[in-house]
Amino acid sequence: MIVNGVASAIPATLFLFFAADRLQLGDMSGQFLIQYFGAAAASMPLWRAAAASFGEARAWAAGMLLAAAVFVWAFGLGAGASIAFGVICLLSGLALGADLALPPALLAGVIGAAGHAGWREAAYFGVWNWGVQMTLALAAGIALPLLAWLGYVPGAGGRQQRAGSSLRAAAVRTQIAGRRHVVARAPASLLTTKD
């Protein structure tokens, strides 16, 4: 949970910087965010249907792999790539729907399998939500100081070639590496049998 959460949260933390300084599209940030979160909300029923057909763990793994596969294209984007980044926001938003819909369902299954349904849900979901908040804090605590150390200054735009490349690398590579790590470390039984 922590690795996947940080892999998602670092690009989210850097999103506005990436849109404004790398793509020079800061005025379109709101539109990109609407596309991203709108696609996530719209895709949640599709991910639940995929979970019913293929199992929750396999559907979630597919969502993580989709997020990594889509986000890799952001690495090559340059200034003004509004259409390409819009497509990336739309498709990665579809993948976000899996992150929103499926982990709570998996946790509910864990609670039931442990025999704690009906009396321990609050403890489980409390720890889960604490973990989610920790990933956000870790993402900001890792990404922002690292970028500052690399010389990135928000708002400096194209004047910082090396630092802009660091921003791009941090936003893209953490998403891909983190998602691949989670899927690679998943127990094979989760990915080969239907839940």
Side-chain angles (χ1 to χ4, degrees):
M1 175 178 83
I2 298 292
V3 173
N4 180 56
V6 170
S8 296
I10 286 179
T13 300
L14 302 178
F15 177 87
L16 295 175
F17 301 128
F18 187 82
D21 292 339
R22 173 70 186 161
L23 301 178
Q24 302 293 306
L25 297 170
D27 57 331
M28 295 181 70
S29 294
Q31 178 183 340
F32 292 137
L33 288 170
I34 289 169
Q35 285 177 269
Y36 178 69
F37 288 112
S43 72
M44 287 172 57
L46 301 174
W47 288 110
R48 289 298 306 143
S53 296
F54 304 107
E56 291 164 343
R58 286 192 285 169
W60 188 32
M64 287 187 281
L65 292 173
L66 174 62
V70 167
F71 217 77
V72 72
W73 298 106
F75 194 77
L77 297 181
S82 61
I83 293 173
F85 192 62
V87 170
I88 289 169
C89 288
L90 183 71
L91 294 176
S92 61
L94 293 175
L96 175 65
D99 269 343
L100 297 175
L102 300 176
L106 286 164
L107 180 58
V110 168
I111 294 168
H116 296 155
W119 63 286
R120 300 282 319 248
E121 288 95 341
Y124 280 90
F125 281 101
V127 169
W128 183 275
N129 286 321
W130 174 84
V132 169
Q133 297 304 313
M134 286 302 299
T135 63
L136 297 173
L138 284 170
I142 293 168
L144 298 177
L146 178 62
L147 287 174
W149 180 74
L150 292 170
Y152 173 71
V153 177
R159 297 186 305 262
Q160 305 179 81
Q161 184 82 19
R162 181 174 162 259
S165 296
S166 300
L167 172 65
R168 179 180 60 193
V172 175
R173 289 183 180 156
T174 56
Q175 171 81 267
I176 295 165
R179 304 286 184 149
R180 282 184 51 228
H181 174 79
V182 171
V183 172
R185 300 294 182 263
S189 61
L190 285 178
L191 302 177
T192 57
T193 60
K194 185 178 174 192
D195 299 317

